[in-house]
Amino acid sequence: MPGVNAETVATSPEAVAQHLAASRYLADDSLATAIFLAIRLGKPLLLEGAPGVGKTEAAKAIAELLGRDLVRLQCYEGIDAAHALYEWNYQRQLLAIRHAGEHEIDIYDDRFLIARPLLQVLKAPEQRVLLVDEIDRSDHEFEALLLEFLSDFQISIPERGTIRAAAQPIVILTSNRTRELAEALRRRCVYHWIGYPDAEREAAIIMLRAGDVAQATARAVAAAVQTIRARPLAKPPGIAEAVEWANAATILEKGGSPWPEAFRRAIGVLIKDEEDLSYIAPELGRIVEEALA
Amino acid sequence: MSRDVNDPFSPFTGRRCPEGADEGQRHHGQKVAPPLTCLPASSPRKRGEESLPPAAAPFLGFARLLRRHAFAIAPEQVSCFMQAVTLLGPRSMADIREAALATLAPPPDRRGEFEAHFQSHFYGNTSAVVAGDADEETRIKDDGGTDDERIEAEHSQEGGELSSALEQLSTRDFQRGDDRLTAFRRKLSSALPARRSFRTVRTPSRGKLDLRRSLREIVSADGDVPSPLLRRRQTVPRKLLLLIDVSGSMKLHTANYLRLAHAAVQGADRAEIFTFGTRLTRITSALRIRDRDQALAHAAAQVDDWDGGTRMGPTLLAFLSVPRFSAFARGAAVVILSDALERGDHAELEIAMRRLSARAFRLSLATPLAGDPRFRPATAALRAILPDLDDLVDGSSLAGLTDFILSLARPAPAASTIWKRVS
């Protein structure tokens, strides 16, 4: 992927928004400003928000905008340095020791080093975009480990010394806020809270993302999804579900289902929880009809 | 200080920014930045700031104002804020606001407060309300309001004289009570039910071989094989989630419950506290303050529906429908402190309790009504939710409650089996 100089793309928040739109990602003013600042200040970008608002998509769009490879580190409870930074291939080391016999062997050679995402990013000759996804799922210890990486973009391997980034990576962290992140981490980042988009923006996103959806359908879907999201559901639909719903309803309509019926029949791609379905079912007809009106 | 604020300028040099820094189009109708002369009277220049250009003063003053209101703003964030303002132009006040939001990073649950300070500092608008604000996501789900017709119908029902669905907004102050909770706080972390973590710890026996460290030992021992090093999965205490009913019918107990909640937040590694009445409020951050009086005063200011009505079902559903809140309940020990006197239809309460029960490790209801030996779960709502409860216990005294929470790790028969036996 041919990369471009970040500063030539990020000349202003508006330019960032335009480039993101070209990568089929619609960012509002605040998000475009946060991305612009993160790129120009050389700081990590911390995106928080509910699941399904497009945090991970934003990272993918930024990588596309800059023409850089995206390296993704998915966090989970228990993730540690060996999963995020590097690991020695112990089995190969043991075999090498056995084969070496009386000869001397460097068991901390490159061929025994397994580079995990953070080391991959540092070792890459070109600038990479690093996505640290769902940082709130990891433990506090891992967050502290990440602080060191985010401050200096370097890691120390005791047997090898310190490895510095050849080109400072662009780092995006996402969090669903299932726990509060350390102040030290927030302080080091440019921060943005992504909320659900308003109906107009969501309709525009649906038009951009869905394959063959009419504008009126996109508007109706956006309006209906806004109403449904305000209900106390176990799994409120995200933007991707709204796009799928618009697509599915369009396919059904082309297959011969009239409009309100097509929406009702395709509801399974929007609401993926049986209890939510039975909760919303009595109201669904009215919600769809109001959205179509 | 007067300047044409449409000119992009640098707060560091006071000069125009380089060409290109202000490229791009802005939306029409945005407020243009007013002259940055609105330095608050309470912002005298500090030592070392004399060398800074006058244009930097409002930004430093804003950071200082935020710090005075307990926002954690690091010096590097302030310099980053000023760099951001320089980068953005600024061409309008919106730019300064965006730069402040992105670099000073106010927590989402204090965003309203942050906005109010911004308004008062940069616009001189002191009428903006500075108060703790409800969580954005909660506000969407929780925007119930009251329905006069429904309330009329509910008033005619019997039972739970103090309970009503009428929302009454009021606030409350807390006085320092006794310190019997100290022991509870000390014991809590080790008394909570535990689960196995994915993290591992060294163990002398009964574990998996730790090849990484064993190999290091082998290399340092020059090829000799010392005794193998073992690791096993660590056990960690489960989260504790307290949902406190602050409606009128619980008036006598809420003060005690909040003291208990403060001790829980201080004592447990991960405890989350919510209050509910006619709306849902997360008060965990307020209770993190170590000093109990201060913490309770903060919490009291955050909750708007003290001693009002109860909409237990809808507020619990609101809790469950905010993904990051329902994530708190997953695998947690959930204790609801309420009399569960749900007015009217209890269908929503039933759904909420079923969902909570499915997520939680253990779901308990502590009701002060159970302090009376004649208490039986006889109301329709209680009968409906009884099968979902692991425990239905007395919540009338602090001593009883602390003992119960400290016993959560010990297995006990389900609430339905116990109460069927006694009723």
Side-chain angles (χ1 to χ4, degrees):
Chain A
M1 204 187 276
V4 291
N5 186 358
E7 295 203 355
T8 58
V9 179
T11 51
S12 69
E14 291 78 12
V16 169
Q18 277 170 16
H19 281 102
L20 287 174
S23 311
R24 301 201 310 145
Y25 187 90
L26 290 185
D28 60 14
D29 281 351
S30 298
L31 177 57
T33 308
I35 294 172
F36 164 76
L37 289 176
I39 293 174
R40 292 295 292 268
L41 295 171
K43 282 186 161 259
L45 173 64
L46 171 60
L47 298 175
E48 283 195 322
V53 291
K55 301 184 292 293
T56 306
E57 284 302 311
K60 289 179 185 167
I62 292 169
E64 201 176 325
L65 150 94
L66 298 171
R68 306 282 173 195
D69 287 333
L70 180 79
V71 178
R72 182 173 175 172
L73 173 66
Q74 175 66 52
C75 296
Y76 50 89
E77 192 243 309
I79 189 170
D80 62 10
H83 299 105
L85 297 175
Y86 68 92
E87 176 95 286
W88 292 108
N89 191 336
Y90 308 108
Q91 286 83 353
R92 284 191 70 179
Q93 282 177 324
L94 281 171
L95 273 174
I97 292 170
R98 187 177 292 176
H99 281 289
E102 292 299 306
H103 302 287
E104 200 157 282
I105 175 175
D106 179 11
I107 60 163
Y108 297 116
D109 189 71
D110 241 4
R111 62 200 163 111
F112 302 117
L113 186 65
I114 306 168
R116 301 290 190 208
L118 299 189
L119 185 58
Q120 279 174 26
V121 166
L122 294 190
K123 285 176 79 178
E126 273 212 324
Q127 187 183 45
R128 294 273 168 93
V129 175
L130 171 69
L131 167 62
V132 182
D133 217 3
E134 301 189 338
I135 177 77
D136 54 323
R137 287 194 186 200
S138 68
D139 312 280
H140 294 284
E141 296 93 324
F142 181 73
E143 215 178 303
L145 182 137
L146 211 58
L147 286 181
E148 193 189 338
F149 173 84
L150 293 177
S151 299
D152 306 318
F153 294 107
Q154 66 176 42
I155 57 174
S156 296
I157 302 177
E159 301 85 3
R160 296 281 295 274
T162 302
I163 298 180
R164 281 190 185 77
Q168 184 173 317
I170 287 171
V171 184
I172 295 127
L173 301 109
T174 72
S175 158
N176 295 331
R177 265 189 101 211
T178 54
R179 72 171 172 84
E180 273 164 34
L181 301 177
E183 279 298 331
L185 184 75
R186 294 166 67 87
R187 211 165 60 213
R188 280 168 174 79
C189 300
V190 170
Y191 176 82
H192 182 71
W193 169 267
I194 306 188
Y196 286 115
D198 57 23
E200 198 183 329
R201 182 170 293 277
E202 189 150 22
I205 294 170
I206 292 168
M207 288 294 292
L208 200 67
R209 291 262 161 178
D212 191 18
V213 171
Q215 194 171 10
T217 312
R219 287 214 175 118
V221 165
V225 167
Q226 297 278 325
T227 317
I228 290 170
R229 237 177 238 148
R231 299 282 190 280
L233 302 180
K235 287 189 174 55
I239 298 172
E241 279 85 17
V243 174
E244 281 170 21
W245 195 32
N247 260 333
T250 305
I251 291 167
L252 287 177
E253 195 260 346
K254 283 185 178 166
S257 288
W259 259 131
E261 184 56 27
F263 278 120
R264 270 197 295 271
R265 286 178 64 186
I267 193 71
V269 298
L270 183 78
I271 296 174
K272 296 167 183 172
D273 182 282
E274 194 273 327
E275 278 191 354
D276 284 351
L277 268 179
S278 51
Y279 181 82
I280 207 82
E283 285 184 280
L284 186 63
R286 188 178 52 79
I287 292 171
V288 169
E289 269 159 34
E290 276 175 12
L292 280 167
Chain B
M1 180 178 67
S2 70
R3 64 161 58 243
D4 180 359
V5 286
N6 290 321
D7 276 357
F9 72 100
S10 159
F12 304 108
T13 60
R15 286 189 225 110
R16 284 177 67 91
C17 283
E19 287 300 318
D22 58 341
E23 278 173 24
Q25 299 286 315
R26 271 274 151 188
H27 292 296
H28 294 292
Q30 268 180 335
K31 281 181 185 165
V32 172
L36 295 169
T37 50
C38 40
L39 190 66
S42 58
S43 303
R45 286 192 159 203
K46 291 200 171 164
R47 237 174 58 181
E49 286 177 17
E50 291 85 359
S51 56
L52 285 169
F59 307 111
L60 284 174
F62 182 52
R64 217 175 292 140
L65 174 75
L66 290 179
R67 279 197 198 113
R68 274 206 304 277
H69 288 91
F71 281 86
I73 310 283
E76 68 194 78
Q77 280 177 295
V78 183
S79 60
C80 195
F81 172 39
M82 290 197 278
Q83 282 177 41
V85 170
T86 312
L87 271 171
L88 288 171
R91 292 154 296 174
S92 69
M93 280 308 287
D95 282 334
I96 298 176
R97 187 176 153 275
E98 297 292 356
L101 283 171
T103 54
L104 304 178
D109 47 359
R110 295 187 71 188
R111 183 86 177 255
E113 201 183 332
F114 182 89
E115 294 280 358
H117 289 309
F118 188 87
Q119 289 284 327
S120 75
H121 184 78
F122 286 103
Y123 291 94
N125 176 11
T126 47
S127 62
V129 181
V130 180
D133 45 325
D135 196 276
E136 189 184 320
E137 290 168 278
T138 324
R139 218 164 31 229
I140 299 168
K141 314 285 178 189
D142 202 19
D143 199 13
T146 51
D147 184 337
D148 290 341
E149 246 178 275
R150 207 179 64 189
I151 292 162
E152 276 303 309
E154 285 160 0
H155 271 302
S156 65
Q157 293 180 19
E158 289 178 5
E161 290 77 6
L162 284 165
S163 159
S164 88
L166 185 66
E167 179 172 290
Q168 296 171 12
L169 303 184
S170 69
T171 56
R172 174 182 291 184
D173 293 323
F174 288 96
Q175 299 295 317
R176 177 178 281 277
D178 58 9
D179 282 322
R180 65 185 308 157
L181 292 163
T182 316
F184 168 73
R185 190 173 65 200
R186 222 175 27 244
K187 288 181 196 162
L188 183 61
S189 187
S190 54
L192 281 173
R195 64 172 177 82
R196 284 209 306 163
S197 159
F198 278 96
R199 298 193 80 84
T200 55
V201 283
R202 283 178 73 160
T203 175
S205 61
R206 290 189 302 143
K208 280 188 173 178
L209 182 67
D210 182 359
L211 201 52
R212 180 186 188 142
R213 284 183 178 76
S214 297
L215 190 71
R216 276 170 195 257
E217 288 282 301
I218 292 169
V219 171
S220 63
D222 210 15
D224 285 345
V225 186
S227 52
L229 300 174
L230 304 173
R231 292 180 82 79
R232 66 172 162 77
R233 277 168 69 176
Q234 196 180 10
T235 54
V236 290
R238 286 180 181 274
K239 288 172 281 184
L240 176 67
L241 172 65
L242 295 185
L243 296 157
I244 302 173
D245 186 345
V246 291
S247 62
S249 55
M250 298 291 289
K251 198 172 182 172
L252 299 172
H253 305 279
T254 41
N256 271 346
Y257 289 173
L258 286 205
R259 287 192 199 107
L260 177 88
H262 179 252
V265 170
Q266 296 295 320
D269 285 345
R270 287 186 73 184
E272 285 291 338
I273 318 292
F274 289 80
T275 63
F276 67 91
T278 49
R279 52 181 70 180
L280 180 74
T281 317
R282 178 173 180 256
I283 56 168
T284 317
S285 336
L287 297 180
R288 289 231 170 86
I289 301 171
R290 215 176 164 74
D291 181 85
R292 190 167 73 188
D293 290 344
Q294 253 189 30
L296 294 191
H298 259 76
Q302 278 185 7
V303 178
D304 292 324
D305 51 344
W306 288 117
D307 310 334
T310 326
R311 285 200 295 261
M312 193 173 173
T315 39
L316 287 183
L317 278 181
F319 168 84
L320 286 164
S321 58
V322 178
R324 70 190 177 85
F325 291 171
S326 61
F328 294 150
R330 197 173 294 283
V334 181
V335 183
I336 301 174
L337 302 163
S338 168
D339 50 13
L341 289 177
E342 183 76 332
R343 288 286 195 149
D345 186 15
H346 54 80
E348 287 186 321
L349 177 65
E350 217 180 317
I351 296 172
M353 293 303 263
R354 195 164 60 242
R355 286 186 187 169
L356 257 180
S357 164
R359 276 181 176 74
F361 166 74
R362 186 161 171 172
L363 176 62
S364 318
L365 175 68
T367 166
L369 303 177
D372 184 342
R374 291 164 298 172
F375 169 78
R376 297 288 179 271
T379 61
L382 264 181
R383 274 208 310 272
I385 63 172
L386 195 60
D388 298 316
L389 291 175
D390 290 299
D391 312 281
L392 175 59
V393 295
D394 173 19
S396 61
S397 71
L398 257 183
L401 262 177
T402 49
D403 287 349
F404 168 67
I405 293 175
L406 291 175
S407 75
L408 277 172
R410 291 200 287 274
S416 53
T417 57
I418 295 174
W419 286 102
K420 268 181 195 153
R421 217 162 42 222
V422 289
S423 53

